[in-house]
Amino acid sequence: MFIFLLQTLLASLTPPWRWRNLIKQIHFIGMRSLFVIALTSIFAGMVLALQGFYTLSRFGSEALLGPAVALSMIRELGPVLSGLMITGRAGSAMAAELGIMRIREQIDALEVMGVPPIHFLAVPRFLAGIIVLPLLTSIFDVIGILGGYLVAVQLLGLSSGTYFGGIEAAVAMHDIHTGLIKALCFGIVITWVCSFKGYFARRGAEGVSHATTSAVVLSSVLILVSDYFLTAIML
Amino acid sequence: MAPPPSPDHPSPQLLGQRFLKAGCITQPQLDDALAAQSSPLSTGPDNLIGRILVRLGYLSPPQLRACLVELFTEECRYYRDHPPSSPPILAMRNVEKRLDGRMVLNGIDLEIPRHCITAIIGVSGGGKSVTLKHLIGLMRPDRGQISIDGENLQSLSAKKLQAVRRRFSLLFQGGALFDSLNVYDNVAFPLRETTPIPEHEIRPRVLQALSEVNLAGMDAKFPDELSGGMSKRVALARALVTQPEVILLDEPTAGLDPIIENSIHHLICDTFMRTKTTMVIISHAVPAIFHWCHHVIVLHQGKVRASGPALAVWESSDPVIRQFIHGELDGPIRVL
Ligand SMILES: Nc1ncnc2c1ncn2[C@@H]1O[C@H](COP(=O)(O)OP(=O)(O)OP(=O)(O)O)[C@@H](O)[C@H]1O
Ligand SMILES: [Mg+2]
């Protein structure tokens, strides 16, 4: 599995560059996930504001609601939830697509034609993951904070100055970097695990479904595990 | 009748000349056909000399086929009496492969002669497709050696192997078309990805390849909209379009009606006569395939049972081979 990652990394650095494939994958992973990301992020932000308000009001510090929402969004929930959603939406499809190509001998056909399949199939997905995840995460963060605003200001009556002023004062560049680096790592994890599982799928339809399931499970677990270590390193 | 020129020296006009020598056509007719072939107007489909002769009305399709068969039989006879002197392009030495605990290849020794059509026949499940995959390095043998052009396949670096493979093309038994691409893009794929040919030259080649397999006008369809036989023919077009040095075909005629089967054999023969491309064909079209190849290899129980000129194998007295050729139920091969 690590060999596969190394091969993909190596192949990403060698021409020819397949721009069309890359753009197709960015479209597939990014554009087509926008709606899901928007939907999850707005509700994540709303529930965060609700819970935060409830907790903070016990200590009389409702004014900290903005920073609480924004920081948990930017540092944790944004990258992790986007990662999990993309795994479910694009990662599973990636594993299934490559798995079908494998069992129908299409990957063998590429190899026989002298087109390196890793270069042709894995690299565009890998690069697209690296590019798209930080972007989707930023969108997730922004919409999530707006969701928090809806609940905090419109519903619970916090002043919008308190909400946004608190965010502006509390969020540092470092927090944003942390979130984006996490997103980048999750992009690598998702495309790596899902391509790998699909690429080495075995034995018919059952093999493909097995590959898809285990790709989603492994990728989700790896996201949470690596999230812990990334947090520990970058805190 | 004069023996055919050495197969080692292909010439594009060979086929027409040989039609002439065989008395199928006259000199003025050949001149007409060659002029039509080289005229810039005929760059499109149906540019094969045989088809041009048919189009000009000098030969009827059955006559053309009869001529081709006759020329081919003559070549086979020549092949039987004059074993090729050049070293084989592909060779397997004592190759063994175990799959799922079953010995599928059990010490295969074979040689694929250059500039010839070789047929591999044998019972279903006998390891023919597995053998073909070994020849091109898709599967690694447990033991034994495979050489391409005298070079040991296992010791080639990835880069060299890739270069070698671009001289080959393989038609998979299942077709292996890319289902995200339409028919046109599937056939154009190897040209776009492995050659520097510009797009405006790819187009006529792809259209010609499609019309040669009787699929003109199907270029916008997707693989899941095709019948089994149609996708097979698209895959065949994809294998032929790059004009490789060696073509490996895994059952090019399986699942086709007898008319199309015949036209595919005709196409293969015609392609061979024009280009002298080395071809390996796995086929169940026994006995028809014996008319369409020089060399036959019979696989039986993971071993090469017989390997030799088609005419010699045809006359073999080995009971296994006799049973296989005639499709009898009684005999050394247990069916039930
Ligand atoms: N990838 C594989 N894994 C395990 N066993 C395999 C694999 N491929 C083929 N086999 C086994 O190897 C044997 C030979 O298969 P192969 O496909 O070469 O047969 P074949 O001679 O091409 O038959 P057919 O004429 O029906 O195509 C079969 O018994 C098959 O079960
Ligand atoms: Mg087979």
Side-chain angles (χ1 to χ4, degrees):
Chain A
M1 207 169 157
F2 286 99
I3 298 173
F4 184 79
L5 181 62
L6 283 182
Q7 282 176 335
T8 311
L9 280 175
L10 211 67
S12 340
L13 302 176
T14 43
W17 319 108
R18 301 177 201 274
W19 296 112
R20 280 172 55 103
N21 285 15
L22 179 60
I23 288 171
K24 213 170 116 192
Q25 289 303 324
I26 290 181
H27 175 81
F28 177 73
I29 303 180
M31 284 296 283
R32 306 250 224 113
S33 306
L34 268 182
F35 179 70
V36 186
I37 289 292
L39 205 66
T40 19
S41 58
I42 197 153
F43 280 100
M46 283 160 68
V47 82
L48 211 58
L50 215 53
Q51 288 281 9
F53 186 82
Y54 176 72
T55 314
L56 290 172
S57 64
R58 287 188 181 179
F59 307 104
S61 37
E62 296 91 340
L64 292 178
L65 187 58
V69 170
L71 283 179
S72 22
M73 259 315 162
I74 291 171
R75 296 181 57 100
E76 253 345 294
L77 290 182
V80 171
L81 285 183
S82 323
L84 294 179
M85 293 315 293
I86 298 300
T87 302
R89 215 209 66 85
S92 56
M94 199 183 287
E97 189 187 350
L98 292 183
I100 287 173
M101 292 192 76
R102 164 62 73 190
I103 62 166
R104 295 223 186 125
E105 297 184 313
Q106 293 170 24
I107 293 183
D108 290 339
L110 282 175
E111 208 163 305
V112 168
M113 287 176 196
V115 179
I118 292 201
H119 200 282
F120 189 77
L121 297 171
V123 167
R125 287 171 170 79
F126 182 73
L127 294 180
I130 292 181
I131 295 171
V132 162
L133 258 236
L135 293 177
L136 283 180
T137 301
S138 322
I139 294 171
F140 192 105
D141 293 345
V142 171
I143 300 182
I145 291 172
L146 287 179
Y149 166 85
L150 281 183
V151 170
V153 179
Q154 309 290 340
L155 207 67
L156 302 172
L158 212 70
S159 91
S160 88
T162 319
Y163 186 77
F164 284 119
I167 293 179
E168 200 181 337
V171 176
M173 217 47 208
H174 173 70
D175 299 314
I176 296 177
H177 286 165
T178 311
L180 291 185
I181 290 174
K182 278 183 181 176
L184 192 107
C185 295
F186 298 160
I188 296 176
V189 167
I190 295 168
T191 47
W192 166 39
V193 171
C194 297
S195 305
F196 174 83
K197 288 288 179 186
Y199 194 85
F200 291 105
R202 282 278 166 263
R203 289 187 205 290
E206 200 184 320
V208 175
S209 78
H210 177 77
T212 312
T213 317
S214 65
V216 171
V217 172
L218 184 60
S219 163
S220 311
V221 169
L222 276 186
I223 285 177
L224 294 173
V225 171
S226 61
D227 182 44
Y228 173 78
F229 287 105
L230 287 169
T231 311
I233 293 168
M234 295 192 292
L235 210 59
Chain B
M1 210 176 278
S6 156
D8 288 338
H9 298 290
S11 137
Q13 295 188 349
L14 196 69
L15 190 56
Q17 297 294 348
R18 289 180 48 199
F19 277 139
L20 182 64
K21 275 200 201 118
C24 304
I25 50 170
T26 62
Q27 182 67 49
Q29 289 177 337
L30 175 62
D31 291 343
D32 276 3
L34 287 177
Q37 189 176 35
S38 54
S39 91
L41 288 177
S42 95
T43 50
D46 286 324
N47 201 20
L48 311 180
I49 189 83
R51 294 194 187 188
I52 291 172
L53 285 166
V54 171
R55 199 171 63 218
L56 294 175
Y58 297 151
L59 286 176
S60 69
Q63 276 175 327
L64 172 63
R65 185 179 129 76
C67 278
L68 278 174
V69 172
E70 192 181 324
L71 289 183
F72 209 78
T73 317
E74 183 194 318
E75 211 175 84
C76 289
R77 226 174 281 135
Y78 180 81
Y79 178 78
R80 177 185 57 187
D81 302 335
H82 303 77
S85 50
S86 49
I89 186 141
L90 290 163
M92 285 178 129
R93 287 273 156 273
N94 198 23
V95 168
E96 291 181 7
K97 179 74 177 181
R98 188 180 283 278
L99 285 169
D100 286 342
R102 225 188 104 228
M103 246 1 205
V104 175
L105 305 186
N106 194 358
I108 295 240
D109 277 295
L110 58 77
E111 292 184 346
I112 307 290
R114 255 171 237 266
H115 307 303
C116 285
I117 301 184
T118 302
I120 300 182
I121 60 176
V123 291
S124 180
K128 302 182 296 297
S129 302
V130 171
T131 306
L132 208 62
K133 287 181 185 168
H134 276 85
L135 282 178
I136 199 156
L138 272 181
M139 285 183 164
R140 308 238 146 209
D142 298 336
R143 282 183 51 197
Q145 266 192 13
I146 297 163
S147 53
I148 289 184
D149 235 345
E151 278 191 278
N152 190 339
L153 189 67
Q154 287 106 308
S155 63
L156 286 182
S157 68
K159 221 185 174 83
K160 268 192 152 170
L161 183 61
Q162 184 181 325
V164 167
R165 277 177 175 161
R166 289 189 178 183
R167 295 163 41 199
F168 285 64
S169 71
L170 170 60
L171 165 69
F172 283 82
Q173 188 164 9
L177 296 176
F178 301 116
D179 28 38
S180 56
L181 302 179
N182 66 21
V183 166
Y184 179 88
D185 290 331
N186 258 295
V187 179
F189 186 88
L191 292 176
R192 288 182 181 150
E193 291 296 332
T194 64
T195 65
I197 299 176
E199 198 62 29
H200 64 91
E201 285 173 35
I202 287 181
R203 191 166 177 80
R205 278 178 74 167
V206 171
L207 294 181
Q208 160 140 13
L210 281 174
S211 82
E212 281 174 8
V213 294
N214 301 323
L215 282 179
M218 292 296 196
D219 39 323
K221 286 214 186 295
F222 278 84
D224 55 353
E225 301 167 328
L226 300 176
S227 74
M230 283 156 81
S231 26
K232 195 85 200 216
R233 283 181 281 150
V234 176
L236 180 64
R238 184 175 73 178
L240 296 180
V241 75
T242 49
Q243 301 176 351
E245 246 178 274
V246 183
I247 304 179
L248 310 174
L249 304 170
D250 196 342
E251 305 198 4
T253 59
L256 301 176
D257 64 71
I259 300 168
I260 300 274
E261 174 183 318
N262 223 337
S263 83
I264 296 291
H265 280 144
H266 184 157
L267 170 67
I268 291 171
C269 177
D270 208 319
T271 308
F272 174 79
M273 292 290 213
R274 274 182 299 132
T275 58
K276 295 285 166 192
T277 311
T278 307
M279 299 195 201
V280 180
I281 304 175
I282 292 183
S283 184
H284 285 303
V286 178
I289 192 70
F290 278 84
H291 292 298
W292 299 111
C293 66
H294 302 87
H295 196 93
V296 171
I297 294 171
V298 186
L299 290 189
H300 185 61
Q301 294 178 340
K303 282 194 163 59
V304 174
R305 184 77 187 209
S307 166
L311 296 174
V313 173
W314 181 254
E315 284 156 10
S316 157
S317 56
D318 184 331
V320 171
I321 293 169
R322 294 228 64 78
Q323 186 194 356
F324 191 73
I325 291 175
H326 299 292
E328 286 153 6
L329 291 178
D330 283 356
I333 306 175
R334 291 261 78 96
V335 189
L336 298 171

